[in-house]
Amino acid sequence: MRFDVVTIFPEYFTSPLQCSILGRAVEAGLVTVYIHNLRDFAPDRHRVVDDYPYGGGGGMVLKPEPLFAAHQALSAEPPAPYVVLLSPQGRVFTQKVAEELAERPRVLLLCGHYEGVDERVREALADEEISVGDYVLTGGEPAALVIIDAVTRLLPGVLGDEQAPAKDSFAEGLLEYPHYTRPAEWRGRRVPEVLLSGHHEQIRRWRRKESLRRTQQRRPDLLAKATLTREDHELLAEIAAEQEAWEW
Ligand code: 9D3
């Protein structure tokens, strides 16, 4: 899969694309990421990419010409990219959106900055707008990195067999159970005995129960949407009974 990113801060992307799983995926050629400086597509000598908003008000707006020129240059060779404008007004990015994008051969990410981009870019260039959540960023760059990260780890060969994306907590709809490693006791806190027991079936059941407990406590919205098995309902009943026992 190929990503193209258009940004006024190309340096912003250097380290993240070299580190960890993403860095390895790039190195292995499982994903290709081209970073393009919007200024390179400015038509004027001074490489101006922003301007004052018509109608007044504060802030600057990204001009349409450089973004259109970038889009045209990057669309020259097939396959045509799916064009995403990163913006606070977009569809909220979720695991489902990541899965959708991972099916596309090519995605072009346009990073806004300042107050935003000229509305005609939205209308004429973008296939869709995506936001990474309800908080205010300084620009689309961190959002682009979030999307590249979440999509790349879904591509075939990027994760080892051990951590296949199908078992992701969000993919499954529940939060993860607690994890422990050595030592078995640390500052008076013991690792739950069942995890040391070697009883695989009991361990599986304990983990499922703790996943359910956490999701119920922290993200009841996720629990409401999850498809639960008969065992899940039994475990939730156990959790409820434990809570009643506490209240006594
Ligand atoms: C303070 C400026 N805001 C006025 C109401 C509008 C605004 C414009 C541009 C707020 C943030 C930005 C820059 N953000 C993005 O370009 C952005 C973003 C975000 O801020 N949150 C979540 N996802 C995204 S994707 C792009």
Side-chain angles (χ1 to χ4, degrees):
M1 168 168 192
R2 168 171 173 179
F3 284 104
D4 288 275
V5 181
V6 175
T7 172
I8 56 170
F9 296 111
E11 327 81 77
Y12 190 91
F13 293 85
T14 313
S15 295
L17 294 173
Q18 289 173 2
C19 292
S20 186
I21 294 170
L22 198 48
R24 247 178 295 137
V26 169
E27 202 62 36
L30 298 168
V31 64
T32 312
V33 186
Y34 294 106
I35 307 296
H36 309 275
N37 190 342
L38 182 62
R39 284 190 197 286
D40 293 343
F41 299 96
D44 67 305
R45 211 159 57 80
H46 296 105
R47 314 211 314 154
V48 175
V49 294
D50 60 341
D51 203 345
Y52 300 95
Y54 274 121
M60 300 295 277
V61 174
L62 289 182
K63 292 164 65 62
E65 299 94 326
L67 283 160
F68 275 82
H71 175 263
Q72 190 161 33
L74 298 176
S75 301
E77 49 177 303
Y82 184 72
V83 182
V84 174
L85 175 63
L86 284 328
S87 120
Q89 287 107 53
R91 169 161 76 133
V92 178
F93 189 65
T94 61
Q95 191 64 26
K96 188 177 135 275
V97 178
E99 286 163 11
E100 285 174 28
L101 292 179
E103 296 296 318
R104 301 197 176 268
R106 210 178 148 194
V107 174
L108 171 56
L109 299 172
L110 303 176
C111 300
H113 221 91
Y114 312 119
E115 279 311 290
V117 308
D118 186 283
E119 187 65 19
R120 290 160 292 187
V121 170
R122 192 167 264 130
E123 292 167 0
L125 282 191
D127 290 307
E128 77 166 310
E129 282 176 70
I130 295 181
S131 158
V132 293
D134 294 339
Y135 38 80
V136 182
L137 300 173
T138 56
E141 286 79 9
L145 282 172
V146 164
I147 290 173
I148 293 169
D149 188 287
V151 171
T152 298
R153 64 182 290 291
L154 295 175
L155 301 177
V158 171
L159 297 186
D161 252 7
E162 253 176 76
Q163 21 184 347
K167 294 194 79 184
D168 287 348
S169 63
F170 270 107
E172 242 205 305
L174 295 182
L175 299 184
E176 274 203 40
Y177 50 80
H179 298 271
Y180 295 88
T181 185
R182 289 184 289 183
E185 183 173 336
W186 182 72
R187 299 195 175 175
R189 294 162 193 267
R190 299 251 344 136
V191 172
E193 283 305 323
V194 62
L195 297 179
L196 312 177
S197 71
H199 291 137
H200 299 300
E201 176 54 21
Q202 283 181 33
I203 291 169
R204 185 197 59 75
R205 204 178 141 85
W206 181 86
R207 285 179 166 168
R208 187 72 191 175
K209 186 171 173 180
E210 296 312 311
S211 272
L212 289 162
R213 191 196 308 276
R214 276 210 164 163
T215 310
Q216 189 172 53
Q217 270 174 0
R218 301 182 187 189
R219 295 293 304 275
D221 58 315
L222 292 182
L223 191 62
K225 281 191 291 179
T227 330
L228 301 180
T229 63
R230 177 176 310 186
E231 180 187 50
D232 291 334
H233 288 290
E234 284 168 22
L235 294 169
L236 284 167
E238 285 181 25
I239 292 166
E242 287 165 24
Q243 275 160 352
E244 284 199 42
W246 265 103
E247 283 159 26
W248 261 82

